[in-house]
């Protein structure tokens, strides 16, 4: 649902062909076909009109969620964050930690992961401010 499964790498030797494949696989009819083959739910809203999905009461909850999805954050740490999110969600679901404790621990872990990024961005901003003021070092 976040749309991160199909990509064209910057260093691709055949970016036009790669993009054509992404467009092909993104077509609603291909996503319905992929669903029939694998059970993976389509990201394209148009694909959900197909009778295989429209009439599936178990898939309905995912269709409702599709209206509220957002792309994942574009930060290198995202995979680590997603892993921690899954770990703490499982602890809360299994009642080995309270929801509040799991959320506090997740917040603490993610804050630590992003601390270096914030430091680097602050340094970059300070450097840009010095350069704009005419006093680069």
């Amino acid at each position: 649902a976040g749309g991160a499964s199909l990509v064209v790498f910057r260093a691709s030797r055949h970016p036009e062909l790669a993009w054509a494949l992404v467009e092909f696989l993104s077509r609603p009819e291909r996503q319905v076909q992929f669903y029939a083959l694998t059970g993976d739910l389509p990201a394209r809203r148009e694909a959900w009109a197909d009778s295989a999905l429209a009439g599936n009461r178990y898939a309905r909850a995912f269709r409702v969620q599709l209206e509220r999805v957002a792309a994942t954050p574009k930060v290198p740490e995202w995979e680590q964050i997603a892993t921690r999110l899954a770990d703490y969600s499982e602890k809360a679901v299994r009642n080995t930690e309270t929801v509040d404790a799991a959320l506090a621990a997740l917040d603490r872990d993610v804050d630590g992961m992003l601390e270096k990024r914030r430091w680097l961005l602050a340094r970059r901003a300070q450097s840009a401010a010095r350069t704009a003021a005419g006093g680069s070092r």
Side-chain angles (χ1 to χ4, degrees):
S5 298
L6 301 174
V7 299
V8 175
F9 291 103
R10 187 177 303 143
S12 173
R13 290 187 300 191
H14 305 284
E16 297 84 13
L17 291 173
W19 183 248
L21 177 61
V22 168
E23 286 181 325
F24 174 79
L25 293 174
S26 297
R27 291 181 189 154
E29 62 272 17
R30 291 293 77 77
Q31 293 205 347
V32 170
Q33 185 180 25
F34 195 69
Y35 166 71
L37 292 170
T38 67
D40 286 354
L41 298 171
R44 296 285 305 271
R45 289 177 177 93
E46 298 93 333
W48 286 82
D50 187 270
S51 61
L53 286 155
N56 184 330
R57 67 186 182 109
Y58 299 110
R60 190 172 309 136
F62 295 100
R63 174 64 176 97
V64 170
Q65 288 178 345
L66 188 59
E67 294 301 323
R68 295 171 180 82
V69 298
T72 57
K74 303 295 186 255
V75 295
E77 299 87 358
W78 177 248
E79 288 303 318
Q80 291 175 318
I81 293 169
T83 298
R84 295 285 170 83
L85 177 61
D87 292 344
Y88 286 116
S89 295
E90 184 169 348
K91 288 179 181 187
V93 167
R94 293 182 181 275
N95 290 320
T96 58
E97 275 192 38
T98 67
V99 171
D100 289 341
L103 286 173
L106 176 64
D107 185 52
R108 188 175 52 253
D109 286 359
V110 171
D111 189 50
M113 287 180 211
L114 298 176
E115 185 176 347
K116 182 177 181 181
R117 172 171 301 287
R118 287 190 296 268
W119 178 80
L120 289 170
L121 290 173
R123 281 187 53 129
R124 186 179 301 155
Q126 290 170 350
S127 177
R130 281 194 304 270
T131 300
S136 67
R137 290 184 197 177

